[in-house]
Structure formats: C-alpha cells, structure tokens
Amino acid sequence: MARIDHIMTDERKVDYVLKLFHTMYPYSQRKEGTENDLQNYSRITARPVDRITVPALIIHGTVDADVDFGDGLYAAGAIKGAEHFWVEKGTHLCFWVSPEAEEA
C-alpha cells in the first residue's frame, strides 16, 4: 500500500503510469507479438554484452519481478567500464515511479 500511496500522491508519476497503461491496451493488438517475443526470448542462452564498447549505465531495481536483478549485475560486470545505479527495493518501473526516481 505504501508504494501505491507514494505514486498516487505524485501527479507526474500518476500521469506516467496512466500513459504507460494506455500504450498496452487493447491487449488483443499486442498479443501475437508478445507471444512471439516470449517464444524467441526463451531461446536466448547467452547475452554477449561484453562486446559493448560504448559508455553504459545499467539501472536496475533490486526487486524487479519482471527482469531478474542478476541480469543487471551480469551486465554491469561484463560491460567494460559500465557504471550502475541500483534502485533499492525498486520494481520494474523503478526508474519512473520509485522514491529514488528523482535521484536516478
């Protein structure tokens, strides 16, 4: 409830979440592409991010339920010179709606 209260008392965060939700509906228009993505993503066994040579900033929530935090740790460690910003207790939308969003 505290996370919801935090978002609902910030006009910019409410605006962002509503706009995000409006990009996802109606789901019927996205279903085929989403299922295709899920099928193809399951085939990926390696992420050759160690070949990235441009500056990189990895931002990841520590409690993201959609993308494992280990993926952020892996990217931050494998990309030479990468910087990282971990959003403590941040979820998948942490960069936009967490209490640390302004700092990020």
Side-chain angles (χ1 to χ4, degrees), residues 20-31:
L20 175 66
F21 287 166
H22 284 115
T23 69
M24 293 190 268
Y25 296 99
Y27 180 69
S28 60
Q29 295 176 358
R30 299 178 51 245
K31 185 175 189 243

Side-chain angles (χ1 to χ4, degrees), residues 15-72:
D15 183 57
Y16 170 78
V17 170
L18 291 175
K19 285 178 179 173
L20 175 66
F21 287 166
H22 284 115
T23 69
M24 293 190 268
Y25 296 99
Y27 180 69
S28 60
Q29 295 176 358
R30 299 178 51 245
K31 185 175 189 243
E32 183 178 347
T34 300
E35 289 174 353
N36 177 70
D37 290 349
L38 292 172
Q39 181 180 14
N40 286 304
Y41 289 157
S42 68
R43 296 180 186 151
I44 298 172
T45 58
R47 295 170 184 90
V49 296
D50 59 321
R51 291 192 256 166
I52 296 173
T53 59
V54 297
L57 172 61
I58 312 302
I59 300 174
H60 207 295
T62 60
V63 295
D64 187 332
D66 295 305
V67 179
D68 190 279
F69 181 58
D71 289 354

Side-chain angles (χ1 to χ4, degrees), residues 1 5 7 10 35 47-48 55-56 103:
M1 228 30 190
D5 290 341
I7 294 168
D10 186 321
E35 289 174 353
R47 295 170 184 90
E103 181 183 357

